Amino acid sequence: MAAELVEAKNMVMSFRVSDLQMLLGFVGRSKSGLKHELVTRALQLVQFDCSPELFKKIKELYETRYAKKSSEPVPQPHRPLDPLTMHSTYDRASSVPRTPLTGPNIDYPVLYGKYLNGLGRLPAKTLKPEVRLVKLPFFNMLDELLKPTELVPQNNEKLQESPCIFALTPRQVELIRNSRELQPGVKAVQVVLRICYSDTSSPQEDQYPPNIAVKVNHSYCSVPGYYPSNKPGVEPKRPCRPINLTHLMYLSSATNRITVTWGNYGKSYSVALYLVRQLTSSELLQRLKTIGVKHPELCKALVKEKLRLDPDSEIATTGVRVSLICPLVKMRLSVPCRAETCAHLQCFDAVFYLQMNEKKPTWMCPVCDKPAPYDQLIIDGLLSKILSECEDADEIEYLVDGSWCPIRAEKERSCSPQCPILVLGTSDANGLPTTPNVNGGGGSALGGAGGGGGAAGGVENGKPGADVVDLTLDSSSSSEDEEDEDEEDEDEDEDGPRPKRRCPFQKGLVSAC
C-alpha cells in the first residue's frame, strides 16, 4: 500500500499546472492558486482520500502527458530531468525509484475501497447531475472548498460519522484575517458548511439530517436549535442555515479535520464547504437601490395594464386603492418594494423586509403570502415619487389612465355632549334689544318681561341683566319639564286659563342646536 501511495505522489509531483487543475476539478476541489498550492492540495488528496477512481485518473493524466513526450523526437543529450529531483522536498523519506506504468493494471489495496473521508465515492467519468444548493442572498460565494458530496453510511448503525480533511490556501487565510468583523468574534469572510438533500432535480435548500453534530478539529461547533412551537400538536422547526466553522479552524497551511455526525434513517444527504462573504441587510438594500429600481413610466404602464377593460368581464374596474402604510410594521413606506412575480400593486417596505429576513429568512411576501426572493424584488419608482409628493395622505387611488389621486380620510364631526349656551337679551321700553350681560347670574329659562332681580339675573348700570337659556337638557330635565307642564295644565283646569305672557325674545332668532 505504501508503494502505491508513493508512486501516486511521484506522478502528482511531476504534473504541470494544467494537469493539477484537471485532477482537482475531477474530485470537485478548488482549482485556483499558485502551482505549489495546487501540488500541496493534490498531495493531501492522495494522502487522505486516495480511491481507485482517483488513482486511475492520476495514472491517465500521467500517461497522457508522457505519451505525448515520447512521440516527439527528443535528442538523447537533452533528456529531461527526473521530476523527483525538482520536488524532493515534498517527500524526502521516499527513495523508491519510479517504475514505468506501461504494465498491467495495478491491484489496488483493499483500503482504497473504504474511502477515507467517508463522504462517498468520487464521481465517475460519465456525466451525471450534481446536487445544487440554492443561492443565499446574504452570502457571496468566494470559493468552493468541497462540492456537494453525499454522506454515505459506513455500516448499519443509526448514528454515522463522516470525516473530511482539507487545508486553506494562503490567499484564503489572508482573506479571512483581513475581513471586517460583523460582530465580536464573527468575521465577514467565513468557511461555512451547508447540508441538503441529495436531490438533483432542482436547487436544494439547506436541510439538516437528524442527530446532527459538527466537530471541527477537536471542538464541536454550535448548530442552530429548534424554534419552540406554541401550537399544540405542531413539531418545533429548526432553522437550517449555513454553519460557520471559521472560529474553530486553523488559519494557516495546516490541515483541518471536520467530522459530521448524522442519523441514518433512510434519507440521503449531501454536504458542501464554501468560502463566503456574509452581507448585511443594509448592504443588500444599497444593492437593491442600485440595480432594482423600476422606472416610474414602467410602473405606470403596469397600472394601466391592471385596470385595462376586460371584454370578457362584466365588471369594469375604474380604480384601485393602494395603501402608503407598510403591512409589516404599520408605518409609512420609505422604500416601496414588491416582487415582480406578485400580481398586486401594494408594496411593503424594503428596509424592514430585509431586516426581518436577515434574522429569520423566509422570503415570503407579506401581502399575498407567496415567495418573494431577493433576486425578484423591485423598488416601485412610481410609488416612490408619490410618497415624496403626497405627505398628508395614507392612501392613494390609481385611475384607469395611470394617474393617481390621494384618498384623505374625512374627519368625523365630533358632537360635543354639551351644546353652546345661547344668551338671549331682553328688550327695553322702546322695543330695542338690550346688551346681553354674560357675567350676571343665571336666570330662569322663561323670565318675566322686566327680567331684573336676583332670579332673573344681575343688574348692571341700572339695566336689567340678560336671560340665559341652558339648552343642554337631558332626558331627566325634559321629564321634569313635562311634569311641570302637567301641573300647570291642572292649575289651568282649576283656576281657568292663564293670560298669555309676552315673549321677551326678539323675532327671527333660531336655535343654536
Side-chain angles (χ1 to χ4, degrees):
M1 180 179 66
E4 284 80 2
L5 285 175
V6 170
E7 188 159 2
K9 286 183 179 181
N10 292 339
M11 288 187 285
V12 167
M13 287 188 294
S14 67
F15 285 170
R16 294 179 178 176
V17 173
S18 58
D19 302 326
L20 293 169
Q21 289 178 342
M22 289 181 64
L23 178 62
L24 293 173
F26 175 74
V27 295
R29 299 295 177 89
S30 174
K31 301 183 290 184
S32 60
L34 301 176
K35 182 177 180 180
H36 73 275
E37 296 175 353
L38 300 179
V39 171
T40 304
R41 210 173 301 158
L43 288 175
Q44 290 172 353
L45 188 66
V46 173
Q47 180 69 31
F48 299 107
D49 190 16
C50 192
S51 61
E53 288 86 352
L54 178 62
F55 202 99
K56 190 175 180 181
K57 183 65 176 178
I58 294 173
K59 177 184 173 182
E60 178 186 336
L61 292 172
Y62 183 85
E63 289 179 344
T64 303
R65 178 185 174 191
Y66 283 97
K68 291 180 180 179
K69 284 194 173 184
S70 61
S71 62
E72 297 176 359
V74 180
Q76 189 67 20
H78 300 281
R79 184 178 179 181
L81 295 175
D82 192 337
L84 286 176
T85 61
M86 301 172 61
H87 303 278
S88 59
T89 56
Y90 287 101
D91 196 359
R92 296 177 181 176
S94 63
S95 58
V96 180
R98 177 163 23 95
T99 57
L101 297 177
T102 56
N105 292 336
I106 297 176
D107 186 13
Y108 301 107
V110 180
L111 181 61
Y112 291 158
K114 293 184 178 179
Y115 303 96
L116 299 181
N117 69 347
L119 296 180
R121 297 177 178 270
L122 295 169
K125 286 186 178 180
T126 56
L127 294 177
K128 61 179 181 180
E130 296 180 348
V131 176
R132 296 167 296 157
L133 287 105
V134 295
K135 293 182 179 179
L136 300 178
F138 287 100
F139 294 92
N140 273 353
M141 190 178 72
L142 304 178
D143 213 343
E144 189 177 52
L145 305 178
L146 175 67
K147 280 190 174 182
T149 311
E150 186 176 351
L151 292 171
V152 178
Q154 303 298 306
N155 48 48
N156 295 327
E157 298 293 332
K158 292 298 182 184
L159 206 59
Q160 299 285 329
E161 284 190 359
S162 299
C164 172
I165 298 175
F166 73 100
L168 296 172
T169 65
R171 182 185 65 87
Q172 294 167 348
V173 172
E174 198 69 17
L175 282 174
I176 296 174
R177 287 180 174 174
N178 294 338
S179 63
R180 63 188 179 91
E181 284 193 349
L182 299 177
Q183 50 184 325
V186 179
K187 291 284 190 178
V189 177
Q190 307 167 1
V191 175
V192 297
L193 175 72
R194 298 186 66 183
I195 309 177
C196 66
Y197 288 128
S198 298
D199 186 0
T200 59
S201 60
S202 61
Q204 298 296 302
E205 295 184 352
D206 293 67
Q207 185 65 46
Y208 297 157
N211 310 115
I212 183 175
V214 180
K215 187 176 182 181
V216 182
N217 296 321
H218 303 289
S219 304
Y220 280 96
C221 183
S222 61
V223 180
Y226 287 91
Y227 285 144
S229 177
N230 298 326
K231 298 180 180 179
V234 178
E235 295 183 0
K237 294 182 179 180
R238 165 178 267 174
C240 298
R241 302 176 185 175
I243 304 173
N244 185 10
L245 313 177
T246 315
H247 59 290
L248 298 176
M249 294 181 55
Y250 301 134
L251 296 181
S252 63
S253 58
T255 58
N256 294 276
R257 182 182 180 88
I258 299 174
T259 304
V260 179
T261 304
W262 53 286
N264 181 22
Y265 294 96
K267 291 186 178 180
S268 180
Y269 294 86
S270 295
V271 299
L273 284 171
Y274 299 101
L275 184 71
V276 300
R277 186 187 302 276
Q278 186 175 353
L279 305 176
T280 61
S281 58
S282 58
E283 290 174 319
L284 287 188
L285 178 64
Q286 189 60 38
R287 181 190 296 179
L288 186 63
K289 288 181 177 180
T290 305
I291 63 175
V293 180
K294 195 168 185 177
H295 196 273
E297 291 300 324
L298 297 177
C299 298
K300 189 174 182 179
L302 179 62
V303 172
K304 292 181 180 179
E305 179 70 20
K306 294 286 184 184
L307 297 177
R308 188 178 60 181
L309 181 61
D310 187 0
D312 298 332
S313 176
E314 298 179 356
I315 302 175
T317 305
T318 59
V320 58
R321 290 192 175 189
V322 172
S323 175
L324 303 183
I325 302 299
C326 175
L328 285 171
V329 292
K330 307 304 179 186
M331 294 172 59
R332 187 177 174 86
L333 292 168
S334 59
V335 184
C337 169
R338 66 173 182 273
E340 276 197 297
T341 54
C342 291
H344 52 78
L345 297 174
Q346 179 65 50
C347 291
F348 48 86
D349 202 312
V351 177
F352 297 105
Y353 184 71
L354 293 175
Q355 289 177 357
M356 293 176 67
N357 281 281
E358 185 178 18
K359 300 295 181 184
K360 183 181 178 182
T362 57
W363 301 106
M364 299 296 290
C365 175
V367 179
C368 61
D369 202 27
K370 292 182 179 179
Y374 176 77
D375 55 357
Q376 294 180 357
L377 295 181
I378 56 108
I379 294 177
D380 193 319
L382 178 59
L383 199 57
S384 299
K385 185 178 178 182
I386 293 173
L387 284 166
S388 61
E389 296 177 359
C390 181
E391 298 181 354
D392 58 344
D394 293 335
E395 191 177 15
I396 57 119
E397 183 177 4
Y398 285 124
L399 304 178
V400 179
D401 58 352
S403 61
W404 61 276
C405 62
I407 305 296
R408 295 180 175 86
E410 296 181 1
K411 296 182 179 179
E412 298 181 357
R413 295 180 179 179
S414 56
C415 295
S416 174
Q418 293 184 351
C419 293
I421 296 176
L422 180 63
V423 179
L424 302 178
T426 57
S427 57
D428 55 6
N430 298 328
L432 298 176
T434 60
T435 303
N437 180 17
V438 296
N439 296 324
S444 169
L446 295 174
V459 179
E460 185 177 2
N461 297 328
K463 297 181 181 180
D467 291 335
V468 179
V469 180
D470 187 0
L471 301 181
T472 60
L473 300 178
D474 55 7
S475 58
S476 60
S477 60
S478 60
S479 60
E480 292 177 358
D481 292 344
E482 291 177 359
E483 293 177 358
D484 294 341
E485 290 177 0
D486 293 340
E487 293 177 358
E488 290 178 358
D489 293 341
E490 292 177 357
D491 295 341
E492 288 180 1
D493 293 341
E494 294 176 359
D495 304 337
R498 290 185 178 184
K500 295 183 178 180
R501 291 179 296 181
R502 181 183 175 185
C503 179
F505 314 127
Q506 199 172 10
K507 295 182 179 180
L509 294 178
V510 294
S511 173
C513 291

